[in-house]
Amino acid sequence: MSIHHHLDAATVMRYASGDLDAAFTIVVASHLAMCDECRRAVRLAEAMGGQCLDDAPAPALSDGAFARLSHAIDADGARDRPAAPADQGIRETLRSDVPLPLRRLVGDTFDDVRWRTIVPGVQRHRIELADTNSSLYMLKIGRGRKMPEHGHGGSEMTLVMRGSYSDVLGRYQAGDIADLDEHVEHQPVVDSDEPCICLVATEEPTRFKGVVSRLMQPFVRI
Ligand SMILES: [Zn+2]
């Protein structure tokens, strides 16, 4: 699996220190099940001591911090180590298509998911969680379909699990994660032959920009 879009360095730190909301934790854990690079980054962050990092202000991380972090882990020889026991489960995950951390919530295959159509070509499955103020849901979007252009009231994290989409930030394929803050506005368009299936966590209700989209929002509750 070739992954081009990874977790933000601040997210790695927050995950390692147990500071992420439950909905975001599941999206991050699902990406980690697919991504060697981010797993190494989390291991290093944990080794550095999550508790100390917890007190450091996230904005202090400079551009390129993540790349340096990964490079430091590679230099540490992590690439040459034998697969950890957890990696066995990861290979199994890839066969079943549903990341391991998500299976207890939605079942072993995407066919088990109870999809509900919210607009033509777009289906959604909400995942109810206790102890969260965020939303967690899966989307299944048909080829050529667009999500309404939107900004965010807070952070949004989208993990592609099957198919692909493109937006102003690039092309996202299976394993890629869009780890976005509240300043980003985008309009993903599915460009794969098969439907694109994503796992999405949002901190606040998403703000759609168009009049029709805004009118629709109370009904689709994204
Ligand atoms: Zn990654």
Side-chain angles (χ1 to χ4, degrees):
M1 181 173 293
S2 179
I3 296 176
H4 300 286
H5 300 275
H6 297 277
L7 296 171
D8 184 82
T11 303
V12 170
M13 301 299 181
R14 292 186 65 191
Y15 180 84
S17 61
D19 187 37
L20 274 184
D21 174 274
F24 286 84
T25 296
I26 289 170
V27 180
V28 170
S30 296
H31 176 74
L32 294 176
M34 304 164 114
C35 181
D36 294 339
E37 186 171 327
C38 287
R39 265 202 318 281
R40 290 198 304 275
V42 166
R43 278 190 204 127
L44 181 66
E46 287 171 343
M48 290 167 70
Q51 202 56 51
C52 299
L53 293 166
D54 202 16
D55 298 328
L61 291 166
S62 61
D63 290 344
F66 184 83
R68 288 196 297 277
L69 198 59
S70 297
H71 184 74
I73 299 165
D74 286 345
D76 190 38
R79 236 184 242 288
D80 301 327
R81 288 179 194 148
D87 292 343
Q88 302 296 333
I90 290 153
R91 275 193 286 278
E92 190 191 340
T93 298
L94 294 179
R95 277 203 301 276
S96 87
D97 228 0
V98 180
L100 202 56
L102 193 58
R103 280 198 225 167
R104 66 181 174 84
L105 296 169
V106 304
D108 289 343
T109 75
F110 293 126
D111 296 333
D112 296 336
V113 175
R114 294 169 64 184
W115 298 103
R116 298 182 67 172
T117 299
I118 53 173
V119 293
V122 180
Q123 294 175 289
R124 187 191 60 199
H125 173 69
R126 293 184 70 85
I127 300 168
E128 302 297 339
L129 293 174
D131 304 324
T132 180
N133 294 318
S134 302
S135 298
L136 181 66
Y137 53 91
M138 294 168 60
L139 289 175
K140 184 178 179 183
I141 307 173
R143 185 184 183 192
R145 295 287 177 177
K146 300 176 182 176
M147 286 301 291
E149 188 175 6
H150 60 277
H152 313 127
S155 299
E156 177 186 281
M157 210 178 269
T158 303
L159 172 67
V160 177
M161 299 183 290
R162 183 186 288 179
S164 61
Y165 73 76
S166 294
D167 64 15
V168 291
L169 301 171
R171 184 158 193 249
Y172 291 77
Q173 298 173 278
D176 284 327
I177 191 162
D179 187 359
L180 307 177
D181 64 24
E182 66 270 29
H183 304 299
V184 175
E185 294 190 348
H186 65 147
Q187 185 173 32
V189 181
V190 171
D191 58 5
S192 51
D193 290 334
E194 61 183 344
C196 182
I197 298 179
C198 303
L199 178 65
V200 186
T202 56
E203 199 171 40
E204 297 278 339
T206 304
R207 300 188 309 266
F208 290 135
K209 291 178 72 181
V211 173
V212 173
S213 299
R214 283 206 303 273
L215 289 173
M216 189 177 75
Q217 185 160 10
F219 301 101
V220 295
R221 287 183 63 224
I222 295 182

